[in-house]
Amino acid sequence: MEGEERGGWAHPYVPKDLELPGYVPCFLSQMDIVIPYLGSTVLLVSLVWFFSGRSKLTKIDRLLMCWWAFTGLTHLIVEGYFVFSPDFYKEKTPHYLAELWKEYSKGDSRYVGRDTGILTIEIITAVLEGPASLLAVYAIATRKPYSYILQFTVSLGHLYGCLFYFIAAFLEGDNFATSPAYYWAYYVGANVWWVVIPLLIATRVWKKITTATQAGKKLKAV
């Protein structure tokens, strides 16, 4: 653990004058935090892929189900904990989600500092996009007619949230990581997927909706 300062623990975050009264350092190591997260992600994706294989869905639809299941549970559980646990950095026991956010904040201290903009985005993400993502899993599995528009809408929400996340950091000096390693691994690496994959999904859905609309117009013209 980091050294004590003035009777309390000195936090490792940037800026150093960030006030975090009652801060308690991580009990778990980085590997103890990251490996279970990656392991549970692989397990979840594997289960969704396995059970979706019993249907007649295409491989792309099955991959999309894996993505929406992963992102939905991440929003609800991980980000939901952040939203409703403002004092996670004071946690005095090795509570996994508190440890995860203490660790992630080394890449973006706006989280541990409870930045208003970040909190707003995370509330929207956890409360709206989380359930909507899981609904997308159901919609794809059952071939609901609203599946495409739902995926398109949530993907746009992800893109908007990530653009706000990155642009706000840039405008504020982009200096919230404790080191370049944390910057690239957590701030960039852990978030870029919510730019690349939603962009691919939105593009795919846009093409399908456009094609269906054009086909409908041709039928009416006949």
Side-chain angles (χ1 to χ4, degrees):
M1 289 186 177
E2 294 84 351
E4 289 187 292
E5 181 178 277
R6 295 182 183 180
W9 292 101
H11 69 72
Y13 308 113
V14 177
K16 288 298 183 181
D17 60 357
L18 178 65
E19 295 185 5
L20 297 175
Y23 166 75
V24 177
C26 285
F27 290 88
L28 302 178
S29 69
Q30 183 183 46
M31 289 298 98
D32 288 335
I33 295 171
V34 174
I35 290 178
Y37 180 79
L38 295 178
S40 60
T41 298
V42 171
L43 177 61
L44 172 65
V45 170
S46 299
L47 288 174
V48 175
W49 179 261
F50 174 76
F51 286 108
S52 64
R54 298 183 176 184
S55 63
K56 295 182 180 180
L57 295 170
T58 65
K59 289 185 177 179
I60 292 180
D61 281 335
R62 292 171 64 195
L63 286 173
L64 287 171
M65 287 178 65
C66 291
W67 163 255
W68 288 120
F70 160 71
T71 196
L73 291 177
T74 297
H75 293 336
L76 283 173
I77 298 173
V78 179
E79 290 163 285
Y81 176 84
F82 166 78
V83 169
F84 297 106
S85 302
D87 296 328
F88 69 86
Y89 62 87
K90 299 180 182 179
E91 182 61 53
K92 297 181 179 180
T93 59
H95 186 291
Y96 179 76
L97 292 177
E99 296 290 283
L100 186 151
W101 282 111
K102 288 180 188 179
E103 177 68 18
Y104 178 79
S105 293
K106 293 176 183 178
D108 189 345
S109 63
R110 291 178 296 172
Y111 279 85
V112 73
R114 210 68 177 170
D115 178 85
T116 303
I118 292 296
L119 179 59
T120 301
I121 289 295
E122 291 295 358
I123 289 174
I124 295 172
T125 300
V127 176
L128 297 180
E129 294 179 359
S133 296
L134 295 183
L135 179 59
V137 176
Y138 169 76
I140 295 171
T142 55
R143 298 181 176 84
K144 295 296 182 182
Y146 59 79
S147 171
Y148 289 129
I149 193 63
L150 175 62
Q151 293 182 68
F152 185 76
T153 302
V154 182
S155 293
L156 289 185
H158 284 146
L159 289 171
Y160 174 82
C162 282
L163 285 174
F164 178 91
Y165 179 71
F166 288 121
I167 292 173
F170 175 78
L171 294 177
E172 293 176 14
D174 203 13
N175 184 32
F176 301 100
T178 58
S179 72
Y182 283 114
Y183 178 89
W184 289 105
Y186 293 167
Y187 174 72
V188 176
N191 291 287
V192 70
W193 302 107
W194 275 274
V195 175
V196 175
I197 296 179
L199 184 60
L200 292 174
I201 293 174
T203 301
R204 175 177 182 267
V205 171
W206 178 270
K207 290 179 179 179
K208 284 188 171 294
I209 292 176
T210 301
T211 300
T213 301
Q214 292 175 339
K217 287 182 180 180
K218 291 181 179 179
L219 287 175
K220 289 182 180 180
V222 175

